[in-house]
Amino acid sequence: MNITKIAIVGGGTAGWLAANHLGLALSSNSNVEITVIESLDIPSIGVGEGTVPYIVKSLKKFGISEAELLGSCDATFKQGIRFVSWLDEKVHGAHNFYYHPFEAPYPEGLDITNIWLNLGKKIPFDYVGIQSRVCESGLAPKLKTDGNYQGVLPYAYHFDAAKFAKLLKRNALDRFNVRVLNGTVDESKLDQTGHIESLCMTNGDILHFDFYVDCTGFSAKLISSVSNDSFQDKSEQLLVDTALVQQIERDDPSSLNPYTTATAHKAGWMWEIPLTSRTGTGFVYASKYMSHKEALETYARMLNVDSVNPRKIEMRVGYRNQSWSKNCVALGLAQGFVEPLEATSILLTDFSAEFLSKNFPLSRAEISVFSDHYNDAVNCAWESTIDFIQLHYILSDRVDSDFWVEYRSDVKLSDSLERKLAKFRLRSPQQMDFWSRFELFNEKNFLYVLYGMKFNTHPQTTSQAEFDIGLKLLDKNNEQLRRAKGALLDHGEWLKQFKQYMSS
């Protein structure tokens, strides 16, 4: 049986990312028809507003210009994350912070981490580059004259998730001839082999397809009908289980931080994502250690407002062992969920959808060839991502609440993370420590978080020549920073001038 009719059930970011990836990969096959079934009765969760540079590759492949994104999605540039109060304020000062920027921590391609360790950590680790200080100065990552997706420094975006999904939708319809159907799936019918045969719609229609992509969110309506595999519950490793989400107006519309802010509190953390139209905020917490009432009060206090009226999202932290089962693949929230500390939601969806597009079966007989490999790769991505998110918590020296104390003493670590940390106490992270290309966070990411969080690594001996080279590179950074400050515009000013140019 050839696979020619594909249904993507659910719109939103996940559904339309899938439509673009599959539309691009299968565009040369005129027999294939892709239909996205969107339900007007089921709103998108719409909180995935931050990305990492991985998204740039996808947007370029889809044929979406940067100008389209910036002009239609209230987008701003994101150069990394500023982590505030993740360490004990009595030891490290009130509102202590560090950056996880997108710039590789290798000046001129050289790893000078050991020189930095031998210097006795006299400067913040993120000073091995210039991007953290560019962020502190509020500068854009690219010049006015830089072309499409080009910049002085690497970057990603903040954007309105609903508008981003609409942009992806327009592109899929116009460029890849994807069809869209408005309707709500009531249930799926299986054939004798356990594959999905058809969809029963709430209006009584019966729709037949050959392959199904489940983007139905937390309900996971399709994948749960074909697979009874166990859910990998990660609540023992990641304690936060609730998110409160609210969009707020900015007091100063011209002030746009070129980064996401993640501020820790006694039972979790709060994000702030600046868009051109508003600020997206979210408050995540462990309900075991904070009541809903206290969460509302803390959220309002951290936002410096009288009260909040947020949307509440209860999170089931973990992922499906088999996100591809039979003729159905789950993407987005149907596949799994982990708190959005490092913009993981869109990243995992984008990665999974791209991987599916490169391993898509053209017949039912080919499903078994690709599905096991797909599940192994996606599970590796999930496990390594969960390790990386957990890293932020277990490195903290905060002892001001039971939440942080539990992370220091009782929280389970994966064998992989435990081995890595044992190694990193003896020497700094190396590329060779991350053996799989499906680990979406690697040694560069670990370096910023480990040493931003004051992790102790035993310095290796180094020659005087190596030491001198490291010092010269650090001095050169200061000169590069000076030139960048003279050349780069204020982030808000860059976007203002872009808007004026587009409207002229």
Side-chain angles (χ1 to χ4, degrees):
M1 181 187 293
N2 290 334
I3 293 174
T4 59
K5 297 183 67 177
I6 303 166
I8 299 171
V9 181
T13 302
W16 290 111
L17 272 174
N20 278 274
H21 276 297
L22 291 174
L24 174 63
L26 302 173
S27 58
S28 62
N29 190 334
S30 59
N31 294 322
V32 172
E33 182 181 88
I34 301 171
T35 302
V36 177
I37 301 175
E38 280 192 307
S39 174
L40 301 178
D41 301 325
I42 305 173
S44 170
I45 190 171
V47 297
E49 298 181 324
T51 58
V52 298
Y54 196 97
I55 195 69
V56 172
K57 178 180 68 170
S58 294
L59 293 171
K60 289 167 73 173
K61 286 198 311 182
F62 298 161
I64 296 173
S65 72
E66 188 169 50
E68 286 181 274
L69 176 72
L70 294 174
S72 63
C73 299
D74 302 342
T76 62
F77 294 116
K78 175 184 173 183
Q79 299 186 64
I81 304 173
R82 188 178 192 259
F83 289 94
V84 181
S85 298
W86 284 75
L87 294 170
D88 189 338
E89 295 195 338
K90 292 181 180 178
V91 177
H92 306 282
H95 310 298
N96 60 77
F97 68 90
Y98 73 93
Y99 275 92
H100 176 193
F102 295 141
E103 175 188 36
Y106 304 141
E108 296 190 6
L110 293 177
D111 182 358
I112 63 168
T113 304
N114 196 52
I115 283 85
W116 177 80
L117 290 169
N118 276 286
L119 281 171
K121 308 177 184 178
K122 290 180 181 177
I123 59 172
F125 179 76
D126 51 52
Y127 277 37
V128 299
I130 68 169
Q131 192 159 36
S132 66
R133 288 172 284 178
V134 166
C135 286
E136 279 294 283
S137 300
L139 302 176
K142 61 188 293 173
L143 305 170
K144 287 196 299 182
T145 54
D146 283 332
N148 202 38
Y149 300 114
Q150 296 177 338
V152 175
L153 292 162
Y155 59 86
Y157 308 96
H158 307 116
F159 46 59
D160 182 306
K163 292 182 178 180
F164 181 61
K166 289 179 180 178
L167 173 63
L168 292 173
K169 177 179 180 177
R170 288 197 302 272
N171 195 71
L173 299 182
D174 296 343
R175 199 178 298 271
F176 303 124
N177 297 316
V178 172
R179 300 173 66 242
V180 63
L181 187 154
N182 293 322
T184 302
V185 174
D186 184 34
E187 62 177 341
S188 54
K189 292 289 187 182
L190 307 184
D191 64 19
Q192 292 180 341
T193 66
H195 290 70
I196 298 179
E197 181 181 66
S198 61
L199 302 175
C200 301
M201 310 299 289
T202 55
N203 65 358
D205 288 347
I206 306 295
L207 305 179
H208 295 267
F209 297 91
D210 305 317
F211 198 90
Y212 301 82
V213 181
D214 186 348
C215 297
T216 60
F218 289 126
S219 67
K221 186 171 286 187
L222 303 189
I223 193 69
S224 58
S225 70
V226 296
S227 174
N228 58 2
D229 77 293
S230 60
F231 180 83
Q232 282 289 339
D233 189 317
K234 294 296 179 177
S235 58
E236 290 185 359
Q237 290 174 251
L238 296 173
L239 304 180
V240 299
D241 58 5
T242 310
L244 305 177
V245 181
Q246 182 162 324
Q247 300 165 357
I248 61 173
E249 295 182 5
R250 268 192 316 276
D251 293 334
D252 182 3
S254 65
S255 177
L256 288 169
N257 292 328
Y259 53 83
T260 297
T261 303
T263 305
H265 58 77
K266 64 181 288 187
W269 60 282
M270 182 185 78
W271 76 75
E272 294 175 85
I273 293 178
L275 306 185
T276 58
S277 56
R278 55 171 171 77
T279 298
T281 73
F283 184 93
V284 298
Y285 66 98
S287 59
K288 176 181 176 181
Y289 292 114
M290 181 176 279
S291 68
H292 182 62
K293 181 176 181 293
E294 185 181 5
L296 291 173
E297 293 170 349
T298 307
Y299 192 9
R301 185 170 65 251
M302 292 179 70
L303 289 177
N304 196 28
V305 296
D306 293 334
S307 62
V308 290
N309 184 29
R311 183 155 53 104
K312 183 179 180 181
I313 303 168
E314 294 180 352
M315 302 183 292
R316 187 187 183 198
V317 179
Y319 65 94
R320 292 183 173 275
N321 275 319
Q322 286 188 308
S323 54
W324 184 341
S325 181
K326 307 291 185 181
N327 62 338
C328 180
V329 172
L331 291 178
L333 298 177
Q335 185 182 88
F337 188 80
V338 62
E339 63 192 88
L341 185 59
E342 290 274 0
T344 51
S345 181
I346 289 179
L347 172 61
L348 283 161
T349 302
D350 193 17
F351 164 78
S352 300
E354 180 186 33
F355 200 71
L356 173 62
S357 73
K358 293 180 182 297
N359 295 274
F360 195 82
L362 298 180
S363 69
R364 183 172 286 192
E366 293 180 4
I367 287 177
S368 61
V369 176
F370 291 116
S371 58
D372 287 345
H373 177 53
Y374 176 91
N375 286 327
D376 288 344
V378 168
N379 290 357
C380 176
W382 272 97
E383 285 290 339
S384 60
T385 296
I386 288 165
D387 279 354
F388 184 60
I389 298 302
Q390 189 184 39
L391 182 73
H392 297 67
Y393 291 100
I394 62 174
L395 295 179
S396 178
D397 61 355
R398 287 184 62 154
V399 290
D400 56 310
S401 69
D402 291 339
F403 171 83
W404 293 103
V405 170
E406 180 173 349
Y407 264 115
R408 287 173 63 85
S409 57
D410 297 329
V411 168
K412 174 186 175 184
L413 272 65
S414 70
D415 291 342
S416 172
L417 183 56
E418 201 157 20
R419 286 195 298 268
K420 282 187 173 75
L421 291 176
K423 196 184 303 178
F424 299 158
R425 291 186 182 95
L426 302 178
R427 62 145 173 84
S428 61
Q430 309 290 320
Q431 186 179 28
M432 68 183 76
D433 300 316
F434 298 80
W435 59 271
S436 174
R437 65 189 305 168
F438 305 127
E439 295 184 72
L440 301 180
F441 297 96
N442 56 29
E443 86 285 355
K444 302 177 187 68
N445 309 107
F446 269 70
L447 283 166
Y448 280 121
V449 176
L450 285 170
Y451 300 130
M453 298 283 286
K454 314 300 183 187
F455 183 78
N456 286 319
T457 296
H458 183 72
Q460 305 290 302
T461 57
T462 184
S463 69
Q464 188 62 48
E466 289 176 308
F467 198 77
D468 290 344
I469 290 172
L471 291 179
K472 286 179 181 178
L473 288 172
L474 290 174
D475 286 341
K476 206 171 195 179
N477 274 343
N478 294 327
E479 174 58 24
Q480 289 177 338
L481 179 65
R482 186 189 66 78
R483 291 201 300 268
K485 286 183 175 180
L488 295 171
L489 285 174
D490 172 81
H491 183 218
E493 181 62 26
W494 194 101
L495 291 165
K496 177 183 175 182
Q497 291 191 24
F498 166 79
K499 186 175 181 180
Q500 291 172 343
Y501 172 78
M502 293 301 291
S503 61
S504 63

